[in-house]
Amino acid sequence: MSNKPSTSDIFGSGSTYGGSFNTRQFLNKMFFHWPLFVIFFVLSIGLAVFYLRYTMPVYEVHAKVWVKPHTTNTSATVALSELNLNETDRYVEAEMGLMISMPVIEQVVTDLQLWVDYEQPTKYFSYRDIYNTTPVQFKLISAGRNFMDDQLDIIIESKDYFLLKQSGDTAKRLAFKDNFVNSFGTWKLDTTGHLQSFIGKTIRMTLHNPKYMVKYYQNGIVPTVLPKSSDIDLSLDDEVPERGKAILNDLLRVYMAASIQQKRESSQNTLKFVDERLGSLTQELNSVESKYEGYKSTRGITEIGNVSSEFLSNSQSTEGKVNDINIKLSVVDGIERYVNSDQGADNPPATIGMEDQGLNGLIKQLTDLQLQRIKLLATLPENNPLFLPINQQINSVRIALRENLKGIRASLLSTKQQLQSIGSGFKSSIRSIPVQERELVDIKRMQGIKENLYVYLLQKKEELSLDYASTISDAVIIDHGHNFPAKSPIPKAVYAIALLVGLLVPSGILFGRDIIKNRILNKGEIIYTTGMPVLSEIAYAELNSPIVVLNQSSYIGEQFRDLRTKLNYLHGKHEKGKITLFTSSIAGEGKSFLLSNLGPILSFSGKRVILVELDLRRPTFTSRFQLDKTLPGLTDFLIGNATKEEIIQKLDITDNLFAIDCGTMPPNPSELLESDELAALLKDLRSEYDHILIDSPPVHLLTDAMIVARMCDLTLYLIRQDYTPKTELAFISELYKEKKLPRMNLIFNGIVSGKHGDMYIYQKNSYYKQYPKKFKSKIEKFLSRF
């Protein structure tokens, strides 16, 4: 069974120690170091106020546009949707790319002159953007070869003149009406309506490279497709909300103009093809009509006989259908050449006469995809990963087109074969008709075919002309540029962070300092690691005298009296000769202090007490008790140069208190402590004194205490707060478990109340009156709170 006490036995329920976090101890530690927390709270709040006052707020500006979705209900569209290649989504993404493309952004930067910043210096060595209230407008008449980032500081003298100071130059007096030439080109300053309020003030103009600003706003403007819709939300962060709104509004204007222009270019290419085809058809139609008139006039033919009218009519219908099929086959050949070639979207194939909606939809889909690819090529290199999905779509559409054309060709050829078979029957019947009449019918039939095709192309031309003349974009502005309240800095968040920093930084300093020191700070650590109870706690005493118990009405005197009671209880029924060993792990833990104060406390109760100094390497009794240096000591007795009576000195504190100091410093202290003379001396002292208190060297550094321990009844082992390393606890635990020291008990010494989260404040809870401290002591105590 473990000999470690439980947590509740030491602190009560709800407390933790050792490696766990103790909330109450943490709060006590904070209260003790309150000046440190006050300083950091003041600093953090001050920095927060400074940050909020001199940091320009950033506003989030938004605009929204609706893009007309492009969908085609064809089998190819279904196949693409199964491959997760949604045509509408791709089209909207292409439109988003157009919105923030370099030509569009470049036009916006040029329109709003965004490559020039206007700022006014503040009294706190910073600059404030005055985009809304600038008194001047920079006008670049012609750019020079060395156009690059530059700064111009101007001081407005009056409504006609200003002082110009460029980096590295002296100030020059110039007039607003004049043009100026320097390294970046010819320029002038135009005044605005805000000029009067800026007379006598300084304005800084920063000229940026326009290409850099285009790149900056390409990255700064964020388009987002809203879920389950084709709405595009544009957002931009700007310190000046009016500028942000102007940028987004102008961006939408330029985008819609570019969209209309692209739409016109597409219609123009189709019109060009139709015009070319109409021109060739006009010539063909004129030729057929001339041939018809000449044939009739030369042969004197007026009417076709009623006898052959039925055969001719059927033959004409059949031949017309065959010609339609031939035209469609030629159109199919043209479409196949277009699909198998690398022609761009600017040369789409003619689909005249093709009534297959699936074919027309696939051709339109292929043309639209190629247009989207051309748009992307305007802003991105061809090897960009964004081309992969659109290239896959183009290949998928081409494959679908080839399969569709294959089926259409097979169907047309089959129909043509059937019609030709029927037409052969009609022709065999017509062979009996005069040759002149048959030739006239052929000419008239060809004339009708050309006329029908000509009328059809004229109708399509009018439709395309209307589309070309249209100024309506496929996009509709839902919301113009508008801003929300400043997104940063948020005062509540800044103050919350400041308060958090004011709490965490000093807490981190305190706990980091404790971790770096790695010293024992509270009783819980001792109990948790060693499994031993702490017999008594002795507070830190701020007194000049090493004998602090002489002040009978002090809280530390109460602690020594409590220790006296416990010591008597531990020694039990022994009437005389109780030997108590005082030791510690390292030097400076207060064993000599404890012994020199416990001795007088024991003597006050009428007991005869003798203090024996066995720390032969660093003796302190002579200075501590003001002993006579000329008298012999313990070492003199052990080597036979003095008697027992000669080495015992009576102390002036009480009549019952005596001491034996070290005497002459020996070269072999350990050997002397192992001598029979020391054992005999302690045996004699047992019969004469009630308590023998032995001061020994630190047990972790020297073996002297181990040598003397076998002759002692009880051991008081000292641990000093914020002094003894935590690594010593393992050694103490080993001593206790192996019982190397007799009846080992721990004393926690030098406790500074409240500094390390102690739960009991000795000074405040003392029964005796506390006398005012000296000013120096108050200052030292206050500084210890840091």
Side-chain angles (χ1 to χ4, degrees):
M1 183 180 293
S2 174
N3 57 359
K4 280 190 179 182
S6 66
T7 302
S8 58
D9 293 336
I10 301 166
F11 282 121
S13 61
S15 300
T16 57
Y17 52 85
S20 303
F21 181 77
N22 190 314
T23 304
R24 187 175 178 185
Q25 182 178 344
F26 170 74
L27 294 176
N28 288 338
K29 193 179 186 75
M30 287 180 58
F31 289 140
F32 181 85
H33 294 281
W34 65 264
L36 185 64
F37 283 87
V38 169
I39 289 175
F40 274 95
F41 274 125
V42 172
L43 286 176
S44 59
I45 294 298
L47 290 174
V49 172
F50 182 84
Y51 174 78
L52 291 173
R53 185 170 182 179
Y54 304 112
T55 299
M56 290 290 291
V58 176
Y59 297 86
E60 189 172 7
V61 185
H62 286 265
K64 189 185 297 182
V65 62
W66 174 77
V67 178
K68 181 181 179 181
H70 281 205
T71 57
T72 305
N73 296 323
T74 64
S75 59
T77 305
V78 175
L80 291 175
S81 64
E82 292 176 355
L83 295 174
N84 290 327
L85 300 175
N86 190 289
E87 182 185 2
T88 301
D89 293 343
R90 297 300 180 189
Y91 178 76
V92 173
E93 289 177 4
E95 293 301 304
M96 288 168 54
L98 177 62
M99 288 180 186
I100 58 172
S101 63
M102 185 171 291
V104 173
I105 299 297
E106 187 174 5
Q107 184 63 44
V108 173
V109 170
T110 303
D111 292 344
L112 302 180
Q113 213 175 35
L114 298 176
W115 48 273
V116 184
D117 286 336
Y118 304 93
E119 297 174 311
Q120 182 182 12
T122 66
K123 58 182 178 180
Y124 297 102
F125 308 102
S126 61
Y127 285 85
R128 178 174 63 90
D129 197 308
I130 54 171
Y131 174 84
N132 284 336
T133 59
T134 176
V136 295
Q137 286 284 344
F138 182 87
K139 182 178 182 181
L140 184 65
I141 299 173
S142 62
R145 294 183 178 179
N146 298 324
F147 188 83
M148 60 183 65
D149 293 351
D150 204 347
Q151 285 184 344
L152 302 176
D153 289 334
I154 65 170
I155 301 174
I156 301 176
E157 284 190 337
S158 63
K159 64 179 182 178
D160 297 319
Y161 294 96
F162 64 92
L163 293 176
L164 171 65
K165 185 177 181 182
Q166 200 170 355
S167 56
D169 296 339
T170 57
K172 299 178 183 179
R173 190 170 186 267
L174 304 173
F176 286 112
K177 64 180 181 179
D178 296 333
N179 296 339
F180 313 103
V181 180
N182 57 9
S183 60
F184 53 79
T186 304
W187 58 278
K188 66 175 295 186
L189 290 182
D190 292 333
T191 60
T192 69
H194 301 283
L195 179 68
Q196 190 65 32
S197 59
F198 281 86
I199 292 179
K201 297 181 180 179
T202 300
I203 304 299
R204 168 166 289 184
M205 295 186 301
T206 303
L207 309 180
H208 301 286
N209 191 318
K211 293 182 179 179
Y212 165 79
M213 298 307 298
V214 170
K215 189 67 177 176
Y216 173 80
Y217 281 106
Q218 271 190 309
N219 297 329
I221 298 174
V222 181
T224 306
V225 181
L226 299 181
K228 299 180 180 180
S229 70
S230 59
D231 295 351
I232 299 176
D233 179 76
L234 298 172
S235 64
L236 172 65
D237 293 342
D238 203 316
E239 293 180 353
V240 182
E242 288 76 11
R243 178 171 57 197
K245 290 187 284 188
I247 291 172
L248 293 187
N249 289 335
D250 195 61
L251 174 69
L252 292 178
R253 181 189 65 80
V254 175
Y255 156 70
M256 296 185 74
S259 178
I260 293 172
Q261 182 62 29
Q262 283 191 349
K263 184 178 178 182
R264 284 183 172 180
E265 289 177 358
S266 177
S267 299
Q268 188 178 20
N269 291 331
T270 308
L271 274 173
K272 182 179 178 181
F273 169 79
V274 172
D275 284 338
E276 291 175 354
R277 190 74 182 107
L278 281 173
S280 64
L281 278 175
T282 301
Q283 295 176 0
E284 293 173 6
L285 187 59
N286 291 334
S287 175
V288 171
E289 289 176 348
S290 298
K291 185 177 179 180
Y292 178 76
E293 292 175 359
Y295 190 89
K296 289 182 68 175
S297 62
T298 54
R299 289 170 175 76
I301 298 174
T302 57
E303 295 292 338
I304 300 176
N306 295 328
V307 178
S308 61
S309 61
E310 183 177 355
F311 295 106
L312 290 175
S313 176
N314 292 333
S315 177
Q316 183 179 8
S317 174
T318 302
E319 290 293 331
K321 292 178 180 179
V322 171
N323 286 330
D324 288 340
I325 290 174
N326 289 332
I327 292 173
K328 291 180 179 180
L329 287 173
S330 65
V331 172
V332 168
D333 292 337
I335 294 173
E336 283 184 338
R337 287 194 298 273
Y338 173 78
V339 172
N340 295 326
S341 67
D342 293 325
Q343 294 182 13
D346 55 342
N347 294 309
T351 58
I352 298 171
M354 303 301 295
E355 299 174 355
D356 191 304
Q357 295 299 321
L359 177 64
N360 292 331
L362 287 172
I363 293 173
K364 184 178 184 304
Q365 192 172 5
L366 180 60
T367 304
D368 290 342
L369 288 172
Q370 288 179 335
L371 284 173
Q372 293 180 31
R373 190 173 185 272
I374 291 171
K375 291 179 183 179
L376 290 177
L377 282 173
T379 58
L380 300 172
E382 192 169 2
N383 58 357
N384 192 285
L386 290 176
F387 283 95
L388 181 59
I390 198 169
N391 288 337
Q392 292 177 349
Q393 293 182 64
I394 290 174
N395 292 333
S396 300
V397 173
R398 282 180 171 174
I399 292 171
L401 270 171
R402 291 189 186 103
E403 293 298 325
N404 196 316
L405 290 172
K406 184 177 179 181
I408 292 174
R409 178 183 292 278
S411 176
L412 290 174
L413 289 175
S414 176
T415 304
K416 179 180 177 181
Q417 187 177 5
Q418 294 176 2
L419 289 173
Q420 286 177 339
S421 177
I422 296 172
S424 297
F426 287 131
K427 287 181 180 179
S428 63
S429 300
I430 295 174
R431 286 191 181 98
S432 60
I433 301 174
V435 176
Q436 295 87 352
E437 187 176 4
R438 188 176 65 246
E439 291 178 350
L440 185 62
V441 170
D442 290 339
I443 294 172
K444 191 173 182 180
R445 184 176 62 247
M446 184 60 65
Q447 180 184 11
I449 293 172
K450 299 294 183 181
E451 285 178 349
N452 291 334
L453 183 58
Y454 186 81
V455 172
Y456 173 77
L457 289 177
L458 282 177
Q459 292 175 347
K460 292 298 178 183
K461 181 179 179 181
E462 289 301 320
E463 293 175 2
L464 290 171
S465 298
L466 290 174
D467 194 28
Y468 177 76
S470 174
T471 57
I472 300 175
S473 172
D474 287 340
V476 178
I477 298 176
I478 299 176
D479 293 326
H480 288 276
H482 59 280
N483 66 282
F484 296 102
K487 63 179 292 187
S488 69
I490 302 174
K492 291 183 179 179
V494 172
Y495 284 124
I497 293 173
L499 292 174
L500 190 62
V501 169
L503 176 65
L504 294 181
V505 171
S507 299
I509 291 174
L510 294 178
F511 285 96
R513 187 165 59 190
D514 292 342
I515 292 172
I516 292 173
K517 286 181 178 180
N518 196 30
R519 296 172 183 172
I520 300 171
L521 301 178
N522 58 69
K523 183 174 68 174
E525 294 176 323
I526 301 172
I527 300 172
Y528 183 81
T529 305
T530 65
M532 298 176 59
V534 174
L535 180 65
S536 184
E537 298 176 64
I538 305 298
Y540 177 77
E542 299 178 358
L543 297 174
N544 296 326
S545 173
I547 314 299
V548 297
V549 295
L550 297 180
N551 182 2
Q552 295 292 324
S553 58
S554 66
Y555 62 90
I556 195 169
E558 297 175 8
Q559 293 177 321
F560 276 101
R561 293 184 186 91
D562 176 70
L563 179 57
R564 177 182 65 188
T565 303
K566 293 178 179 177
L567 188 63
N568 290 330
Y569 175 79
L570 289 173
H571 277 296
K573 298 181 180 180
H574 293 287
E575 293 296 331
K576 297 179 70 67
K578 299 167 227 173
I579 302 178
T580 304
L581 177 66
F582 290 77
T583 189
S584 62
S585 300
I586 59 175
E589 293 184 277
K591 54 185 176 51
S592 298
F593 165 78
L594 183 69
L595 178 143
S596 60
N597 282 277
L598 184 58
I601 284 291
L602 290 170
S603 66
F604 289 156
S605 64
K607 304 293 184 181
R608 284 174 58 82
V609 181
I610 186 167
L611 313 179
V612 181
E613 185 171 37
L614 294 187
D615 190 350
L616 305 183
R617 291 175 173 81
R618 295 179 61 181
T620 60
F621 275 22
T622 301
S623 60
R624 187 178 296 272
F625 297 109
Q626 304 297 318
L627 299 179
D628 190 348
K629 297 180 181 179
T630 62
L631 296 178
L634 178 64
T635 56
D636 299 299
F637 171 80
L638 295 178
I639 61 176
N641 292 337
T643 63
K644 181 185 70 173
E645 288 74 14
E646 291 176 339
I647 64 174
I648 296 175
Q649 299 186 48
K650 183 178 180 301
L651 301 182
D652 297 333
I653 299 172
T654 64
D655 294 337
N656 296 327
L657 187 59
F658 302 86
I660 300 176
D661 71 348
C662 172
T664 306
M665 293 285 290
N668 55 344
S670 296
E671 287 75 10
L672 289 177
L673 294 177
E674 289 181 343
S675 64
D676 295 335
E677 286 78 6
L678 178 61
L681 175 62
L682 292 178
K683 184 177 180 180
D684 292 340
L685 294 177
R686 279 182 183 272
S687 61
E688 299 177 14
Y689 297 92
D690 297 301
H691 288 278
I692 301 100
L693 308 182
I694 298 178
D695 186 11
S696 66
V699 71
H700 204 176
L701 303 177
L702 301 167
T703 60
D704 295 5
M706 295 292 189
I707 297 171
V708 181
R710 57 188 173 83
M711 296 176 275
C712 300
D713 303 316
L714 185 72
T715 303
L716 295 183
Y717 198 102
L718 273 79
I719 297 173
R720 183 175 174 182
Q721 186 186 53
D722 201 16
Y723 184 85
T724 304
K726 291 183 179 179
T727 53
E728 295 296 333
L729 291 175
F731 174 73
I732 296 171
S733 180
E734 180 184 351
L735 291 177
Y736 178 70
K737 291 177 181 177
E738 297 181 4
K739 299 182 178 180
K740 293 182 178 180
L741 296 175
R743 302 175 65 190
M744 183 175 170
N745 291 272
L746 299 181
I747 305 294
F748 197 27
N749 185 38
I751 298 175
V752 179
S753 299
K755 182 175 182 180
H756 300 289
D758 304 280
M759 301 179 190
Y760 189 83
I761 309 301
Y762 300 104
Q763 295 88 332
K764 290 185 177 180
N765 294 281
S766 176
Y767 182 76
Y768 295 100
K769 178 181 178 182
Q770 301 299 314
Y771 295 97
K773 297 180 180 179
K774 295 181 180 179
F775 179 75
K776 182 179 179 181
S777 297
K778 292 181 179 180
I779 293 297
E780 291 177 351
K781 183 174 181 180
F782 180 76
L783 293 177
S784 69
R785 295 182 180 271
F786 290 93

